[in-house]
Amino acid sequence: SQQGEEDPQALSIQEGENATMNCSYKTSINNLQWYRQNSGRGLVHLILIRSNEREKHSGRLRVTLDTSKKSSSLLITASRAADTASYFCATDGDTGGFKTIFGAGTRLFVKA
Amino acid sequence: GAVVSQHPSRVICKSGTSVKIECRSLDFQATTMFWYRQFPKQSLMLMATSNEGSKATYEQGVEKDKFLINHASLTLSTLTVTSAHPEDSSFYICSASPNTDTQYFGPGTRLTVL
């Protein structure tokens, strides 16, 4: 079964607004990653946050991780139409091995 | 940055035929490669983990005789969908890892089985 579950499933905002997506997972993790996927295309890695980190920034992206609640959030500030895509969180699961389990994803639509 | 290619990008085949999809790491050696499938508007489902020179590890529910994986070198893994049926139509994505921290994803292959 999928490890991560995204919330909301779909989000529509105006250009310039901030977009917040949440992800919950079920088991202990070593790290959590966020990816972006444009329709019908491959994945682009956005950011990795380790289990001992609480917050990480990269450009207009801000990721938080709360291991006590088994949740993470991705904030995109000052959104642009080009940010329209699906966003997935992914964790390394609880197998002790190295594999990535993806959540259901949030489809973000930024209106110009 | 690291580049992973997939070939072909799109393939249409008749039911009952076999289709091979290649995944290559172009500028790094990948000890581990992963294969995913993705249905429309859904997430990526891990199918199998492939380590160079050894048998692939398949996820529960994935038929290993249906989806043959060969990781013959540190830069190439292939996924063969044998005796494809319309329900196998999907977007297949590979990823390659040079270490345990990083995965680089290929652009995906859209398979349509008629």
Side-chain angles (χ1 to χ4, degrees), chain A residues 26-43:
Chain A
K26 297 174 184 174
T27 63
S28 61
I29 62 171
N30 295 307
N31 63 65
L32 184 144
Q33 305 184 64
W34 284 91
Y35 291 86
R36 160 202 172 113
Q37 183 183 35
N38 286 62
S39 180
R41 310 286 285 274
L43 288 170

Side-chain angles (χ1 to χ4, degrees), chain B residues 4 16 18 31 41-42 44 49 60 65 86 88 92 101 106 113:
Chain B
V4 175
S18 294
T31 53
K41 297 185 179 179
Q42 294 190 28
L44 282 74
T49 303
Q60 192 172 11
D65 295 330
D88 297 324
Y92 292 87
D101 265 357
V113 185

Side-chain angles (χ1 to χ4, degrees), chain A residues 1-2 31 33 35 37 39-45 48 50 88 98-105 107, chain B residues 32 34 36 38 41-46 49 59 91 93 97 99-103 105-108 110:
Chain A
S1 62
Q2 289 296 300
N31 63 65
Q33 305 184 64
Y35 291 86
Q37 183 183 35
S39 180
R41 310 286 285 274
L43 288 170
V44 174
H45 181 260
L48 178 152
R50 300 187 187 281
F88 297 92
F98 172 50
K99 63 181 183 181
T100 302
I101 308 298
F102 284 84
R107 292 192 301 281
Chain B
T32 306
F34 302 87
Y36 298 84
Q38 184 181 33
K41 297 185 179 179
Q42 294 190 28
S43 186
L44 282 74
M45 299 289 293
L46 180 65
T49 303
E59 294 300 302
F91 193 53
I93 302 177
S97 296
N99 53 51
T100 57
D101 265 357
T102 311
Q103 282 188 57
F105 285 83
R110 185 161 302 284

Side-chain angles (χ1 to χ4, degrees), chain A:
Chain A
S1 62
Q2 289 296 300
Q3 168 80 311
E5 297 296 331
E6 268 92 352
D7 166 42
Q9 291 186 343
L11 181 61
S12 181
I13 59 174
Q14 290 291 139
E15 203 166 32
E17 294 180 339
N18 296 340
T20 300
M21 289 161 269
N22 302 298
C23 166
S24 60
Y25 56 92
K26 297 174 184 174
T27 63
S28 61
I29 62 171
N30 295 307
N31 63 65
L32 184 144
Q33 305 184 64
W34 284 91
Y35 291 86
R36 160 202 172 113
Q37 183 183 35
N38 286 62
S39 180
R41 310 286 285 274
L43 288 170
V44 174
H45 181 260
L46 296 176
I47 201 164
L48 178 152
I49 186 165
R50 300 187 187 281
S51 60
N52 61 353
E53 297 175 309
R54 292 296 167 259
E55 188 170 311
K56 208 161 181 181
H57 296 255
S58 177
R60 292 184 295 113
L61 306 180
R62 174 177 165 250
V63 168
T64 62
L65 178 64
D66 187 334
T67 53
S68 67
K69 295 181 180 178
K70 291 186 169 59
S71 67
S72 173
S73 68
L74 170 67
L75 168 67
I76 303 175
T77 60
S79 64
R80 305 166 183 168
D83 294 328
T84 295
S86 290
Y87 292 83
F88 297 92
C89 71
T91 64
D92 57 350
D94 63 347
T95 64
F98 172 50
K99 63 181 183 181
T100 302
I101 308 298
F102 284 84
T106 294
R107 292 192 301 281
L108 173 66
F109 181 63
V110 181
K111 293 177 280 188

Side-chain angles (χ1 to χ4, degrees), chain B residues 18-37:
Chain B
S18 294
V19 175
K20 180 185 283 188
I21 302 170
E22 292 185 348
C23 176
R24 293 182 185 271
S25 56
L26 299 185
D27 50 4
F28 66 97
Q29 292 187 328
T31 53
T32 306
M33 288 186 171
F34 302 87
W35 286 96
Y36 298 84
R37 67 185 297 183

